[in-house]
Amino acid sequence: MAELKFDKEDLNEIEKIKAKYPTNKAATLQVLWVAQRKFGNVKPEVQELVAETLDLPHSHVHGVASFYTQYYKEETGKFVLDVCTCLSCQLCGAYDIVDYIEDQLGIKLGETTDDGMFTLQEVE
């Protein structure tokens, strides 16, 4: 596996982000977005890179990344279809939407199409 690292352009963007916040900890969300845009996800090794770059404990970065469903902790398709399935969304037909997407794409929740284009996820 190739070594994960930010290039000079990424590091410049991260420095600009850090300059907007009083602490590196406060910049975590935005730097995770930089990482996800670059690597396509924030798997544990990407989280570790973010932690090292911000000089923060890995546990902090992991806690932030795992709290938000918009940060993908594993490989996903090019397009991620997030369908809310909380109770109020269920009452509005969320699982009808899930069933329709599953039928159209030939995948189940948590799966990615064979061509790598779509991943279907349930979120709240």
Side-chain angles (χ1 to χ4, degrees):
M1 179 169 81
E3 180 185 4
L4 294 175
K5 56 192 236 178
F6 290 121
D7 61 26
K8 187 175 183 173
E9 187 176 302
D10 300 324
L11 292 171
N12 286 338
E13 182 178 359
I14 290 168
E15 285 304 314
K16 288 178 185 175
I17 290 168
K18 287 168 43 179
K20 295 178 184 180
Y21 295 95
T23 65
N24 285 358
K25 197 176 213 181
T28 305
L29 287 165
Q30 294 299 315
V31 176
L32 280 167
W33 281 119
V34 171
Q36 182 161 284
R37 206 169 42 247
K38 180 175 185 72
F39 302 112
N41 59 66
V42 292
K43 294 193 296 191
E45 53 270 25
V46 176
Q47 294 172 33
E48 185 65 40
L49 175 63
V50 170
E52 289 171 10
T53 302
L54 293 175
D55 193 28
L56 293 172
H58 179 260
S59 59
H60 168 72
V61 174
H62 176 72
V64 172
S66 61
F67 181 79
Y68 294 99
T69 58
Q70 296 88 353
Y71 294 119
Y72 306 128
K73 277 63 82 180
E74 56 190 47
E75 306 250 349
T76 62
K78 182 174 182 177
F79 302 101
V80 178
L81 306 174
D82 289 333
V83 180
C84 174
T85 56
C86 71
L87 180 59
S88 58
C89 291
Q90 288 177 38
L91 294 172
C92 293
Y95 283 112
D96 293 334
I97 294 169
V98 168
D99 292 341
Y100 178 80
I101 294 170
E102 288 177 339
D103 289 344
Q104 292 298 306
L105 297 178
I107 59 174
K108 297 289 183 191
L109 280 171
E111 296 180 345
T112 300
T113 56
D114 290 338
D115 62 4
M117 290 298 290
F118 298 97
T119 296
L120 178 59
Q121 298 185 144
E122 67 180 322
V123 298
E124 291 194 23

